[in-house]
Amino acid sequence: MELPPLLRQAVDRALSGTALADLAASAAALSQRYRDERRDGRLHVANEQDALAYLAVRLPATYAAVRASFAALAQARPNFAPKTALDIGAGPGTALWAAADCWPALEDALLVEASPIFRACGERLAAEAQQSDLVPRMTWRTADVGVDAIDCAPCDLVILAYALNELDAKVRQSVLTRLWRATADTLVIVEPGTPAGWQRILAARRQLIAAGAHVIAPCPHADECPLVPPDWCHFAARVARSRLHRQAKGAEVPWEDEKFSYVAVSRVSALGLGARVIARPRKASGRVTLKLCRPDGSAGDQLFSRRDGAPFKRAWRSDWGASL
Ligand SMILES: C[S@@+](CC[C@H](N)C(=O)[O-])C[C@H]1O[C@@H](n2cnc3c(N)ncnc32)[C@H](O)[C@@H]1O
């Protein structure tokens, strides 16, 4: 997945003139903090250099994961057309760019971010696109969602992308309760596609179902998740790496696979959800095996062979994350 051209240009502009060695050092330190899920009382993005490193090496990946989650939601609810959005832990506004790409009629967004440096970076990224009305009207607020009230009218779309893991475990439930209250229609939570990220998604899913939410994606049911550790539910989005992205990471390959877990829940149910492909399809001549999460709440492998006709063709064309 590529970034939309306007976002790509804004990121390139922000990064121009940055010394590669500094960027690579900050990117390595930032990635290590994310890998360790370090919670030491300081925000991961603490200074301008961290913010630039995030733009270079993390924003393309979180954009791809969030955009793929939105695509699954849009497929399950084709009539969903949000006008208002609330993005919590917005960082540089990544998820809002993905939302604007998925739902161009989006009009107004409130972005809440704890780091003033990240907020300023996000405001600069969107400035030009805002002048030409190419992204929704964005209002930013610097606030700590663990402590500060989210006092806004309920929004059609509420997003918590790659931020649940940065909240203190003690405040997660209360933040989710408040986010659900702030949701007029649909709430999407995206996390890194690690076993720990999946556990946080599972806990959020349980809490929101208990609060009356309907699950829209990725699960085609609201039963307990049928997967058992060490297995976990996650997906992968292929991200195109720019030259600077490759250089900052010391990587050769022009792409990377961002693993992510997510859940989209709504006040409105989606009818007729199909089975979800929850692993990379395994293909052989005339046969494909899909690992499926099914509407009856079960999960497991299903073999499709050429003699199955149309279902085989559909299965052959489907990819990890698709809905059959
Ligand atoms: C990994 S970044 C994700 C940024 C963006 N959502 C994305 O997907 O690219 C997590 C963001 O959550 C913010 N954050 C962490 N704790 C927060 C809190 N208590 N209140 C508000 N924002 C918070 C961080 O400052 C950071 O910008």
Side-chain angles (χ1 to χ4, degrees):
M1 191 180 294
E2 302 271 0
L3 293 180
L6 272 178
L7 178 57
R8 173 82 274 153
Q9 288 156 20
V11 167
D12 289 348
R13 253 196 320 273
L15 293 173
S16 70
T18 313
L20 184 60
D22 295 345
L23 200 61
S26 300
L30 193 59
S31 294
Q32 195 57 48
R33 286 185 68 85
Y34 285 133
R35 264 196 302 279
D36 296 347
E37 297 202 342
R38 208 171 303 164
R39 272 177 228 105
D40 52 9
R42 91 160 177 81
L43 293 169
H44 296 316
V45 171
N47 56 46
E48 190 68 34
Q49 195 59 37
D50 292 340
L52 293 177
Y54 191 93
L55 296 192
V57 302
R58 287 303 299 151
L59 175 142
T62 61
Y63 178 91
V66 174
R67 185 66 185 82
S69 308
F70 288 164
L73 160 61
Q75 191 192 7
R77 294 256 330 270
N79 294 329
F80 177 52
K83 293 262 184 270
T84 56
L86 169 66
D87 183 8
I88 300 288
T94 327
L96 229 287
W97 283 88
D101 191 56
C102 190
W103 295 286
L106 197 58
E107 288 171 0
D108 267 302
L110 173 62
L111 297 92
V112 179
E113 169 52 46
S115 156
I117 291 167
F118 231 168
R119 169 194 168 160
C121 169
E123 284 180 305
R124 279 194 301 273
L125 281 189
E128 202 157 297
Q130 291 243 270
Q131 276 163 22
S132 36
D133 268 353
L134 292 166
V135 287
R137 187 140 42 89
M138 296 186 186
T139 307
W140 290 78
R141 193 179 292 169
T142 304
D144 175 347
V145 282
V147 180
D148 303 319
I150 308 164
D151 50 352
C152 64
C155 291
D156 299 336
L157 175 68
V158 176
I159 311 156
L160 185 66
Y162 286 83
L164 191 55
N165 59 93
E166 294 193 20
L167 300 179
D168 192 322
K170 290 197 286 285
V171 301
R172 281 185 203 143
Q173 276 196 11
S174 67
V175 169
L176 287 172
T177 300
R178 286 184 290 131
L179 289 193
W180 183 237
R181 232 181 272 141
T183 304
D185 192 305
T186 297
L187 166 62
V188 181
I189 307 172
V190 186
E191 278 286 283
T194 57
W198 174 59
Q199 287 297 338
R200 286 187 290 267
I201 291 287
L202 273 189
R205 179 181 182 274
R206 257 184 230 118
Q207 180 185 337
L208 292 161
I209 290 172
H214 300 276
V215 180
I216 306 296
C219 344
H221 61 83
D223 297 337
E224 268 297 297
C225 176
L227 300 189
V228 177
D231 197 2
W232 78 101
C233 182
H234 63 293
F235 302 91
R238 183 147 292 189
V239 182
R241 282 174 171 154
S242 66
R243 193 158 61 90
L244 192 63
H245 184 167
R246 279 203 306 278
Q247 289 171 333
K249 275 196 157 173
E252 299 279 319
V253 191
W255 50 265
E256 66 188 22
D257 283 333
E258 171 68 9
K259 306 272 171 52
F260 64 101
S261 295
Y262 74 101
V263 68
V265 297
S266 178
R267 296 196 179 274
V268 181
S269 64
L271 298 174
L273 294 175
R276 176 86 50 194
V277 181
I278 55 169
R280 212 177 285 289
R282 281 161 284 153
K283 294 182 178 178
S285 166
R287 295 181 321 160
V288 54
T289 304
L290 298 182
K291 183 176 173 188
L292 296 176
C293 182
R294 305 185 186 93
D296 66 4
S298 68
D301 282 350
Q302 190 164 334
L303 174 70
F304 297 82
S305 63
R306 207 182 292 283
R307 63 174 173 276
D308 292 326
F312 166 75
K313 283 192 190 143
R314 216 171 40 245
W316 186 267
R317 281 196 305 266
S318 69
D319 206 349
W320 187 1
S323 172
L324 288 190

